[in-house]
Amino acid sequence: MDNQFPWSNDQTKRYVGAQYFSLISMAETLVFNSQFNVDFFKDYGMISDRDIESGRVSVIPNWYTGADEQPPEAQNGDETGFNVIYSGNMNDRIDWGLLESLTMISDDITLHLVGAARRQIPALSRLTARKNVVYWGPMQESQVLNLLRRCDLGILPHVSDEISRYMNPLKVHMYRAMGVPVISTEVLGLAADDGLSVFPDHVGFLDAVKLAWEQHHLSGKPSRIDLPKAETNPSARAYMKIIIQSFAGRKDVKKVLNIQEPKKNLPELLPPLDC
């Protein structure tokens, strides 16, 4: 489970809340992608201490393994330059000023943007006016993976705010699965390690991009990291363990699980969030 509340508007918050309540009521096992979101749902009365103590609730960080094969597509991106990519929702939490500064490092750097940005048209338009920016719009996962094969660096230009603190970005694992090193701003849920560099300010972020670009030219090839082996991924093993345990020895008997009565004292089920 992730958390859709922070970027839901006033009209959709109740609808999203009803969906979560129904799914949580029926589920035998609840897997959250961060402890922060466990605390969030507990505060709203959708899960209880009993759920946590009984082991019904688990926390497993996001993980990702790209598809082994993808359909052939036309060449995407500039094969001779240095290709940088951001893939994700651009309606919230994006540092547009940082993106613009990145494009000014060199015209040889092409910035590829993938995802929806319908609420940020003015900022997106200013950015795409530059010749070294390509906006692909929303894409299917297979298309994103093919584009990633031609990119040299993945970035997370996120602002640390009420939106980003509810996230444990899955895209970091998507980049890694395709062998693309990642440079990120400092947001909750991310820690620097092999293949991921985290910077608290613009200067460090931009210097890291510039260094990656310079190393790319010196080496004559993309600066890729080794692909992680699936069997060494602790999150993947944890997910598989839950799936195996959930079905081991079960009989095919239809029943309703974890019946719960709606709580009348829920604090407006979804109170307005400052986002």
Side-chain angles (χ1 to χ4, degrees):
M1 290 178 60
D2 62 1
N3 191 341
Q4 298 294 320
F5 290 143
W7 48 90
S8 299
N9 58 39
D10 291 339
Q11 293 180 338
T12 60
K13 278 187 172 116
R14 289 183 179 278
Y15 175 71
V16 171
Q19 286 185 314
Y20 273 123
F21 187 86
S22 297
L23 292 171
I24 289 173
S25 298
M26 291 186 294
E28 187 169 352
T29 300
L30 301 172
V31 181
F32 288 86
N33 65 352
S34 72
Q35 183 61 45
F36 196 94
N37 283 331
V38 171
D39 297 338
F40 180 97
F41 280 85
K42 181 180 174 227
D43 289 342
Y44 280 89
M46 290 193 180
I47 61 174
S48 64
D49 287 327
R50 183 179 178 182
D51 291 321
I52 298 171
E53 293 166 1
S54 68
R56 183 177 176 233
V57 171
S58 302
V59 178
I60 302 176
N62 282 323
W63 65 286
Y64 191 97
T65 56
D68 293 333
E69 296 182 4
Q70 298 299 331
E73 292 190 6
Q75 295 293 305
N76 295 333
D78 179 1
E79 295 297 332
T80 60
F82 187 71
N83 293 283
V84 179
I85 186 171
Y86 172 77
S87 173
N89 172 23
M90 287 179 281
N91 286 303
D92 305 290
R93 76 188 184 280
I94 297 299
D95 191 330
W96 293 97
L98 180 58
L99 287 177
E100 186 172 2
S101 296
L102 185 156
T103 63
M104 293 179 180
I105 294 174
S106 170
D107 289 340
D108 187 51
I109 296 176
T110 300
L111 175 62
H112 300 266
L113 300 173
V114 180
R118 63 183 180 277
R119 297 198 306 274
Q120 297 291 343
I121 297 302
L124 180 64
S125 297
R126 286 195 300 271
L127 198 60
T128 54
R130 300 187 61 81
K131 293 182 179 180
N132 59 338
V133 177
V134 180
Y135 177 56
W136 296 88
M139 298 174 72
Q140 294 180 354
E141 184 179 71
S142 61
Q143 296 173 311
V144 178
L145 294 178
N146 279 329
L147 179 58
L148 277 168
R149 287 189 174 93
R150 298 173 175 88
C151 288
D152 308 298
L153 181 68
I155 58 170
L156 271 78
H158 288 179
V159 176
S160 184
D161 59 12
E162 287 295 317
I163 299 293
S164 60
R165 74 191 188 117
Y166 288 94
M167 301 184 63
N168 179 247
L170 180 61
K171 59 184 60 64
V172 169
H173 306 282
M174 178 177 71
Y175 294 153
R176 283 172 168 167
M178 299 307 296
V180 180
V182 187
I183 293 175
S184 174
T185 53
E186 191 172 56
V187 294
L188 187 68
L190 287 180
D193 56 18
D194 186 28
L196 171 63
S197 302
V198 179
F199 298 92
D201 55 43
H202 283 200
V203 174
F205 185 100
L206 295 171
D207 284 349
V209 173
K210 184 177 180 181
L211 179 61
W213 166 60
E214 292 172 345
Q215 291 177 339
H216 167 76
H217 280 288
L218 290 174
S219 66
K221 61 182 180 180
S223 53
R224 299 296 184 115
I225 58 173
D226 293 334
L227 297 181
K229 296 181 179 179
E231 61 270 18
T232 64
N233 188 317
S235 294
R237 292 200 306 271
Y239 274 118
M240 290 305 299
K241 182 178 179 181
I242 284 180
I243 291 173
I244 292 170
Q245 290 178 342
S246 296
F247 289 95
R250 288 179 61 91
K251 296 181 179 180
D252 188 15
V253 178
K254 295 182 179 180
K255 62 179 180 179
V256 179
L257 302 173
N258 299 307
I259 297 298
Q260 298 180 18
E261 292 294 329
K263 299 182 180 180
K264 297 181 180 180
N265 61 346
L266 274 180
E268 190 55 27
L269 191 56
L270 301 178
L273 296 171
D274 297 326
C275 57

